[in-house]
Amino acid sequence: MVQFAGLLALIILVFGTLLTAGAGIAHALPFELLLLSGAAFGTLIVGNSPAVSAEALSGFWRAMRGPKWTSTDYLSGLVLLHRLISGAQRGGLVSIEDDVERPEVSAIFADAPRLRDDLAVRELICETFRLMGLDLSDPARAEAAMDSRIAAHYEARQKAVGALHTLADTLPALGIVAAVIGIIRAMSVIDQAPSVIGAMIAAALLGTFLGVFLAYGIVGPVANRYGQIVDDESAFLDMIRAALSGYAAGYPARACVELARAGISSDVQPSADALAHALQAQRFTERQAAA
């Protein structure tokens, strides 16, 4: 929400100062904003597929919200992976077959609902275990499949980031178009009083101002922040890949999750003690359920 506070302060300062220029500017502002935002929306739709356009538009909200995954989610993910890996190592992949085939009703996935409900996370875990169940002769195949799936997910979201950057580059030109339209309107009433012509030219220049401001003050920064969030959220998939790669290589379950934990960014990385306590609590809960 820090980004939202910064955006709000930016809008208040810039538009508050602008509105002190006079009533004529305040009167023209809604029209110019509507013209420019409509042209920007059309440009985004024309230049991208519906899926990329929708993802790009959602990027505005995601940039304000921040990364999806918190330290608590990373800890839940490590515990979930430990349960699946240790179960597969004790009883074979057949022992977790129901969990990976129907994660929506799995008791293991039920303890991590945010992960279960995320399509990219759920599919990466389940599809990798399915692939390993089909062919355990070459662990590199499972790792290559994970890399391919993560890269495809990342590339799809980066297209939306690129669309936002392109929109930011386009907005100043659209502002010039809006200004030209305003000048044309002013020239059509050139015989009016100077005060009338002056107000119309000021309104025309408002289009140029808005194009530059929206490009470099809002859309460009939002695109940059959304790109950072895409990178941060892709790191969660990298954590899953690291743990499952360790399983494919034959490491013990605890070593797999420690390997995955080591690669997590320090600002969201669960501590070793927190992971140990979470795993201990999970084992205690499982023993109580079995008793």
Side-chain angles (χ1 to χ4, degrees):
M1 287 300 174
V2 174
Q3 280 72 30
F4 180 77
L7 176 64
L8 186 62
L10 177 67
I11 291 175
I12 291 174
L13 287 172
V14 173
F15 282 94
T17 302
L18 178 67
L19 292 177
T20 62
I25 296 297
H27 178 75
L29 186 58
F31 171 79
E32 295 292 337
L33 273 176
L34 181 62
L35 173 62
L36 204 57
S37 59
F41 179 76
T43 299
L44 182 67
I45 296 299
V46 169
N48 301 279
S49 68
V52 172
S53 297
E55 182 74 20
L57 291 173
S58 72
F60 284 90
W61 161 244
R62 295 184 185 184
M64 298 300 106
R65 183 191 66 186
K68 180 177 183 178
W69 305 118
T70 65
S71 180
T72 301
D73 294 316
Y74 274 96
L75 183 59
S76 297
L78 291 171
V79 173
L80 171 66
L81 291 165
H82 184 274
R83 294 179 69 184
L84 291 170
I85 292 171
S86 59
Q89 288 177 337
R90 287 195 306 266
L93 284 169
V94 66
S95 66
I96 61 168
E97 183 177 1
D98 287 343
D99 296 297
V100 299
E101 291 296 336
R102 296 190 299 166
E104 63 277 2
V105 296
S106 164
I108 294 178
F109 277 93
D111 290 336
R114 278 171 55 82
L115 278 63
R116 177 199 61 199
D117 296 339
D118 186 275
L119 181 62
V121 169
R122 187 175 71 240
E123 286 191 345
L124 180 62
I125 295 173
C126 295
E127 291 297 331
T128 301
F129 275 115
R130 290 191 190 105
L131 180 60
M132 291 179 180
L134 294 173
D135 182 13
L136 284 175
S137 62
D138 186 4
R141 293 181 183 176
E143 187 161 358
M146 285 189 287
D147 288 341
S148 177
R149 183 177 291 274
I150 292 172
H153 176 75
Y154 181 77
E155 182 181 354
R157 299 188 71 188
Q158 278 296 324
K159 288 181 179 179
V161 175
L164 287 176
H165 279 298
T166 300
L167 180 59
D169 292 339
T170 304
L171 275 167
L174 293 178
I176 293 174
V177 171
V180 170
I181 293 174
I183 294 297
I184 292 173
R185 292 176 59 214
M187 292 300 100
S188 67
V189 292
I190 194 65
D191 57 337
Q192 299 293 318
S195 59
V196 175
I197 302 299
M200 296 187 71
I201 291 177
L205 294 176
L206 184 60
T208 302
F209 159 78
L210 288 174
V212 174
F213 171 70
L214 292 176
Y216 300 111
I218 295 182
V219 179
V222 164
N224 185 64
R225 178 57 182 154
Y226 183 44
Q228 295 172 357
I229 289 173
V230 169
D231 290 338
D232 290 343
E233 294 183 355
S234 293
F236 196 89
L237 302 181
D238 289 332
M239 177 200 72
I240 296 171
R241 180 190 57 77
L244 296 183
S245 294
Y247 166 69
Y251 297 159
R254 183 59 186 273
C256 292
V257 295
E258 281 294 347
L259 180 67
R261 190 189 71 84
I264 299 173
S265 176
S266 60
D267 58 329
V268 289
Q269 182 189 63
S271 67
D273 287 342
L275 177 58
H277 291 155
L279 294 177
Q280 185 178 7
Q282 183 58 50
R283 286 193 293 268
F284 178 76
T285 302
E286 290 175 351
R287 283 197 298 268
Q288 279 198 323

